[in-house]
Every structure is written in structure tokens, then in C-alpha cells.
Amino acid sequence: MITKRIIPCLDVKDGRVVKGVNFQGLNDVSSPVQLAEYYTKSGADELVFYDITASAEGRALFTDILRETASRVFIPLTVGGGINTLDDFDRVLKCGADKVSVNSGAIRNPDLIRQAALRYGSQCVVLSADVKRVDGQFRVFGRGGRDDTGMEAISWIKRCVDLGAGEIVVNSIDTDGVKEGFDLEMLDAVCQAVKVPVIASGGAGKTEDFIRLFQTLPGVDAGLAASVFHFGEIAIPDLKGELRKNGILVR
């Protein structure tokens, strides 16, 4: 069995980490720099940094706060938000990111994934897919969960992997911030469709949710969460201890 990763997510708005429910009602949490430092020391395997309003506001990702955050992080850092061109990839990587997450930019121009994979390697290109059920179908949403693209999610994710995406973050809008468990049905569909690493995002509320995720879906590579880590509801060392007790390999 592959070692499972635990990944805190920093949703950043106006230079501050925020968290909401179902992608709405954002509340201030903390400084991304302080949180990144804390997670590096507390055993997180990786860190994800999203500038969550960059695409909706039609601007480039804030690089000053990213550069400062990256300077304090000694684990792999994935960065997304407002990534629309190869120049955006280049800028974010030069700020200290290890991987670049693309969502709305890929929806507008799927060839961006192919171009980025050719230049930087597939391992650097992460597709972040915001997915919600609409009329019984998994549907892709853009601009931070605001726009229904009308595209069926599983075929979209498969297309992006074929273009060169080396990793998929599946953000379930239905379970985001609800804390009642990961969206196992959605994640299972993605795992069956692609052979690249899949990261589960949206719905973690307690340690048992991570145990259930990895035991039910061995194909999922990582569990990503925000508020349960930010507010101290789950401590990462304790979580990893419980995962080990349940026979799940962690670092």
C-alpha cells in the first residue's frame, strides 16, 4: 500500500486564511505565514495554498504573501488561484511553489495543462476540480465554485490527465465545510477513471473520516482538509497515530 499523505489547505483571501461552508460564508482564520510554519512543524506531509478569489476577481495571484509563506515551509507546497498562462506557472514556481494547481484557467484553455506539463513536467501540474451534483450528474464548477460549466466532471478530469495533469485534487462542493465525511461516491468515480494520484478534499470532520476514506478507497492518495486543522479539532500527529493503529501507512 502507498503511504498516505495528510495535507492542510490554506484558502487565502486578501492575505488572510479564511474558511466557509459549501464555498460560501467565508470567515477569517489566521495568517497564512503563521499557519504554514505551524503545519510544517506539526507533521503535515504537504501544504496547499489557494488564492481563492484571484480567478473570480480576474487578477493574478498575490505573490508577496506567497513568497513569505514559501520561505517558512519545508514540505512540498502546491499553489493555485488565478493560474491562466505559462507565465503564471513560472511566477508561482519562482516564488517557491513545488507544484501549481490549475482550475478555471484550464476550463478556459485546456491546452494550458499540456503546455505546462511539457515545460515543467506532469509532476508539477495539479488539476483542482470543484465538483457538485447537478440533476444527478457530477458537474464541474469554475471561478471558485461560482459558475456551473455544464461539463460532466469525470470525463473532464480524465481529459485533463490525458493532457498531462500529474495529480488531481477533487473538491466536493456538496461536502465542503459540512464535516460529515468525504464524498466517497465522487472520489470512487474519479479513482476508477484515472491512474494518477487523487487527493480528497471537502468534508473532513473527525479522525474517523480519514480512516474511512483510506480504508474504503485505497486508491485515494491523500486527505486534504482546512477547518478541522485550523481550529485544532484534529491534531495531525494524533491523526497519523490513529491511522497507523488502523493499518494505514503514513509518513
Side-chain angles (χ1 to χ4, degrees), residues 166-189:
E167 190 167 76
I168 309 296
V169 177
V170 183
N171 306 301
S172 172
I173 298 175
D174 295 321
T175 62
D176 174 69
V178 178
K179 298 186 180 180
E180 292 183 357
F182 291 97
D183 197 327
L184 300 180
E185 181 192 17
M186 184 183 293
L187 290 161
D188 184 39

mmCIF file of all heavy atoms in Angstrom, residues 166-189:
data_model
loop_
_atom_site.group_PDB
_atom_site.id
_atom_site.type_symbol
_atom_site.label_atom_id
_atom_site.label_comp_id
_atom_site.label_asym_id
_atom_site.label_seq_id
_atom_site.Cartn_x
_atom_site.Cartn_y
_atom_site.Cartn_z
ATOM 1 N N GLY A 166 -0.628 15.690 -13.527
ATOM 2 C CA GLY A 166 0.001 14.588 -12.811
ATOM 3 C C GLY A 166 -0.637 14.268 -11.483
ATOM 4 O O GLY A 166 -0.252 13.286 -10.818
ATOM 5 N N GLU A 167 -1.611 15.072 -11.069
ATOM 6 C CA GLU A 167 -2.275 14.865 -9.782
ATOM 7 C C GLU A 167 -3.631 15.568 -9.833
ATOM 8 O O GLU A 167 -3.782 16.589 -10.503
ATOM 9 C CB GLU A 167 -1.414 15.443 -8.660
ATOM 10 C CG GLU A 167 -1.852 15.107 -7.261
ATOM 11 C CD GLU A 167 -0.767 15.452 -6.233
ATOM 12 O OE1 GLU A 167 -0.609 16.651 -5.925
ATOM 13 O OE2 GLU A 167 -0.082 14.530 -5.758
ATOM 14 N N ILE A 168 -4.613 15.008 -9.111
ATOM 15 C CA ILE A 168 -5.958 15.581 -9.101
ATOM 16 C C ILE A 168 -6.380 15.874 -7.666
ATOM 17 O O ILE A 168 -6.318 14.997 -6.801
ATOM 18 C CB ILE A 168 -7.007 14.604 -9.706
ATOM 19 C CG1 ILE A 168 -6.559 14.090 -11.075
ATOM 20 C CG2 ILE A 168 -8.376 15.277 -9.783
ATOM 21 C CD1 ILE A 168 -6.434 15.132 -12.148
ATOM 22 N N VAL A 169 -6.816 17.117 -7.423
ATOM 23 C CA VAL A 169 -7.481 17.439 -6.164
ATOM 24 C C VAL A 169 -8.967 17.504 -6.458
ATOM 25 O O VAL A 169 -9.421 18.324 -7.261
ATOM 26 C CB VAL A 169 -7.001 18.785 -5.578
ATOM 27 C CG1 VAL A 169 -7.775 19.106 -4.299
ATOM 28 C CG2 VAL A 169 -5.517 18.750 -5.281
ATOM 29 N N VAL A 170 -9.733 16.625 -5.816
ATOM 30 C CA VAL A 170 -11.183 16.588 -6.020
ATOM 31 C C VAL A 170 -11.853 17.334 -4.873
ATOM 32 O O VAL A 170 -11.900 16.848 -3.743
ATOM 33 C CB VAL A 170 -11.702 15.139 -6.091
ATOM 34 C CG1 VAL A 170 -13.199 15.121 -6.377
ATOM 35 C CG2 VAL A 170 -10.952 14.350 -7.159
ATOM 36 N N ASN A 171 -12.347 18.533 -5.162
ATOM 37 C CA ASN A 171 -13.029 19.348 -4.152
ATOM 38 C C ASN A 171 -14.528 19.138 -4.284
ATOM 39 O O ASN A 171 -15.135 19.600 -5.256
ATOM 40 C CB ASN A 171 -12.724 20.843 -4.369
ATOM 41 C CG ASN A 171 -11.242 21.135 -4.434
ATOM 42 O OD1 ASN A 171 -10.520 20.852 -3.499
ATOM 43 N ND2 ASN A 171 -10.792 21.714 -5.547
ATOM 44 N N SER A 172 -15.132 18.459 -3.331
ATOM 45 C CA SER A 172 -16.577 18.267 -3.355
ATOM 46 C C SER A 172 -17.263 19.483 -2.743
ATOM 47 O O SER A 172 -17.163 19.730 -1.543
ATOM 48 C CB SER A 172 -16.969 17.011 -2.576
ATOM 49 O OG SER A 172 -18.381 16.947 -2.451
ATOM 50 N N ILE A 173 -17.960 20.249 -3.577
ATOM 51 C CA ILE A 173 -18.684 21.425 -3.082
ATOM 52 C C ILE A 173 -19.823 20.990 -2.157
ATOM 53 O O ILE A 173 -20.143 21.668 -1.184
ATOM 54 C CB ILE A 173 -19.227 22.264 -4.261
ATOM 55 C CG1 ILE A 173 -18.058 22.785 -5.113
ATOM 56 C CG2 ILE A 173 -20.075 23.437 -3.767
ATOM 57 C CD1 ILE A 173 -18.487 23.525 -6.372
ATOM 58 N N ASP A 174 -20.395 19.817 -2.434
ATOM 59 C CA ASP A 174 -21.517 19.321 -1.620
ATOM 60 C C ASP A 174 -21.111 19.074 -0.177
ATOM 61 O O ASP A 174 -21.906 19.277 0.741
ATOM 62 C CB ASP A 174 -22.074 18.019 -2.223
ATOM 63 C CG ASP A 174 -22.703 18.227 -3.588
ATOM 64 O OD1 ASP A 174 -23.363 19.261 -3.776
ATOM 65 O OD2 ASP A 174 -22.515 17.362 -4.462
ATOM 66 N N THR A 175 -19.875 18.621 0.039
ATOM 67 C CA THR A 175 -19.455 18.278 1.407
ATOM 68 C C THR A 175 -18.512 19.309 2.025
ATOM 69 O O THR A 175 -18.170 19.183 3.198
ATOM 70 C CB THR A 175 -18.752 16.893 1.430
ATOM 71 O OG1 THR A 175 -17.575 16.952 0.610
ATOM 72 C CG2 THR A 175 -19.680 15.796 0.931
ATOM 73 N N ASP A 176 -18.121 20.329 1.262
ATOM 74 C CA ASP A 176 -17.150 21.321 1.752
ATOM 75 C C ASP A 176 -17.610 21.988 3.045
ATOM 76 O O ASP A 176 -18.689 22.585 3.105
ATOM 77 C CB ASP A 176 -16.930 22.402 0.683
ATOM 78 C CG ASP A 176 -16.051 23.539 1.189
ATOM 79 O OD1 ASP A 176 -14.856 23.294 1.400
ATOM 80 O OD2 ASP A 176 -16.573 24.651 1.405
ATOM 81 N N GLY A 177 -16.786 21.872 4.088
ATOM 82 C CA GLY A 177 -17.069 22.536 5.363
ATOM 83 C C GLY A 177 -18.195 21.941 6.180
ATOM 84 O O GLY A 177 -18.476 22.405 7.286
ATOM 85 N N VAL A 178 -18.839 20.893 5.656
ATOM 86 C CA VAL A 178 -20.001 20.309 6.348
ATOM 87 C C VAL A 178 -19.567 19.388 7.494
ATOM 88 O O VAL A 178 -20.292 19.189 8.463
ATOM 89 C CB VAL A 178 -20.906 19.555 5.332
ATOM 90 C CG1 VAL A 178 -22.079 18.895 6.024
ATOM 91 C CG2 VAL A 178 -21.399 20.513 4.248
ATOM 92 N N LYS A 179 -18.360 18.817 7.359
ATOM 93 C CA LYS A 179 -17.753 17.985 8.399
ATOM 94 C C LYS A 179 -18.519 16.693 8.679
ATOM 95 O O LYS A 179 -18.590 16.241 9.810
ATOM 96 C CB LYS A 179 -17.579 18.777 9.700
ATOM 97 C CG LYS A 179 -16.659 19.982 9.571
ATOM 98 C CD LYS A 179 -16.418 20.643 10.911
ATOM 99 C CE LYS A 179 -15.501 21.837 10.781
ATOM 100 N NZ LYS A 179 -15.262 22.495 12.066
ATOM 101 N N GLU A 180 -19.076 16.113 7.634
ATOM 102 C CA GLU A 180 -19.793 14.841 7.798
ATOM 103 C C GLU A 180 -19.140 13.728 6.988
ATOM 104 O O GLU A 180 -19.751 12.696 6.725
ATOM 105 C CB GLU A 180 -21.267 15.010 7.400
ATOM 106 C CG GLU A 180 -22.032 15.900 8.378
ATOM 107 C CD GLU A 180 -23.502 16.023 8.048
ATOM 108 O OE1 GLU A 180 -23.939 15.459 7.013
ATOM 109 O OE2 GLU A 180 -24.213 16.692 8.811
ATOM 110 N N GLY A 181 -17.887 13.934 6.604
ATOM 111 C CA GLY A 181 -17.162 12.897 5.883
ATOM 112 C C GLY A 181 -16.894 13.268 4.435
ATOM 113 O O GLY A 181 -17.578 14.108 3.854
ATOM 114 N N PHE A 182 -15.866 12.636 3.881
ATOM 115 C CA PHE A 182 -15.501 12.878 2.483
ATOM 116 C C PHE A 182 -16.569 12.331 1.539
ATOM 117 O O PHE A 182 -17.345 11.443 1.908
ATOM 118 C CB PHE A 182 -14.150 12.210 2.179
ATOM 119 C CG PHE A 182 -12.980 12.855 2.856
ATOM 120 C CD1 PHE A 182 -12.478 12.347 4.053
ATOM 121 C CD2 PHE A 182 -12.364 13.971 2.307
ATOM 122 C CE1 PHE A 182 -11.391 12.929 4.687
ATOM 123 C CE2 PHE A 182 -11.263 14.566 2.932
ATOM 124 C CZ PHE A 182 -10.777 14.051 4.131
ATOM 125 N N ASP A 183 -16.575 12.837 0.320
ATOM 126 C CA ASP A 183 -17.554 12.420 -0.692
ATOM 127 C C ASP A 183 -17.053 11.146 -1.366
ATOM 128 O O ASP A 183 -16.429 11.177 -2.425
ATOM 129 C CB ASP A 183 -17.738 13.549 -1.710
ATOM 130 C CG ASP A 183 -18.991 13.405 -2.531
ATOM 131 O OD1 ASP A 183 -19.387 12.258 -2.819
ATOM 132 O OD2 ASP A 183 -19.594 14.446 -2.872
ATOM 133 N N LEU A 184 -17.310 10.007 -0.726
ATOM 134 C CA LEU A 184 -16.733 8.741 -1.175
ATOM 135 C C LEU A 184 -17.232 8.329 -2.561
ATOM 136 O O LEU A 184 -16.476 7.771 -3.362
ATOM 137 C CB LEU A 184 -17.025 7.646 -0.147
ATOM 138 C CG LEU A 184 -16.466 7.897 1.266
ATOM 139 C CD1 LEU A 184 -16.831 6.749 2.194
ATOM 140 C CD2 LEU A 184 -14.958 8.113 1.248
ATOM 141 N N GLU A 185 -18.493 8.591 -2.844
ATOM 142 C CA GLU A 185 -19.047 8.232 -4.155
ATOM 143 C C GLU A 185 -18.324 8.974 -5.279
ATOM 144 O O GLU A 185 -17.920 8.387 -6.281
ATOM 145 C CB GLU A 185 -20.541 8.561 -4.192
ATOM 146 C CG GLU A 185 -21.202 8.194 -5.522
ATOM 147 C CD GLU A 185 -22.606 8.767 -5.678
ATOM 148 O OE1 GLU A 185 -22.973 9.697 -4.936
ATOM 149 O OE2 GLU A 185 -23.317 8.281 -6.579
ATOM 150 N N MET A 186 -18.155 10.278 -5.085
ATOM 151 C CA MET A 186 -17.479 11.095 -6.089
ATOM 152 C C MET A 186 -16.016 10.665 -6.259
ATOM 153 O O MET A 186 -15.513 10.510 -7.370
ATOM 154 C CB MET A 186 -17.546 12.569 -5.672
ATOM 155 C CG MET A 186 -16.971 13.544 -6.666
ATOM 156 S SD MET A 186 -17.016 15.246 -6.016
ATOM 157 C CE MET A 186 -18.777 15.572 -5.948
ATOM 158 N N LEU A 187 -15.335 10.447 -5.133
ATOM 159 C CA LEU A 187 -13.923 10.070 -5.168
ATOM 160 C C LEU A 187 -13.718 8.702 -5.817
ATOM 161 O O LEU A 187 -12.760 8.498 -6.563
ATOM 162 C CB LEU A 187 -13.354 10.067 -3.748
ATOM 163 C CG LEU A 187 -13.219 11.455 -3.119
ATOM 164 C CD1 LEU A 187 -13.115 11.340 -1.600
ATOM 165 C CD2 LEU A 187 -12.012 12.185 -3.700
ATOM 166 N N ASP A 188 -14.624 7.784 -5.552
ATOM 167 C CA ASP A 188 -14.537 6.449 -6.149
ATOM 168 C C ASP A 188 -14.635 6.550 -7.670
ATOM 169 O O ASP A 188 -13.885 5.886 -8.399
ATOM 170 C CB ASP A 188 -15.651 5.553 -5.597
ATOM 171 C CG ASP A 188 -15.551 4.130 -6.096
ATOM 172 O OD1 ASP A 188 -14.427 3.603 -6.209
ATOM 173 O OD2 ASP A 188 -16.603 3.524 -6.389
ATOM 174 N N ALA A 189 -15.537 7.388 -8.148
ATOM 175 C CA ALA A 189 -15.700 7.562 -9.595
ATOM 176 C C ALA A 189 -14.429 8.109 -10.232
ATOM 177 O O ALA A 189 -14.023 7.677 -11.321
ATOM 178 C CB ALA A 189 -16.881 8.489 -9.876
#
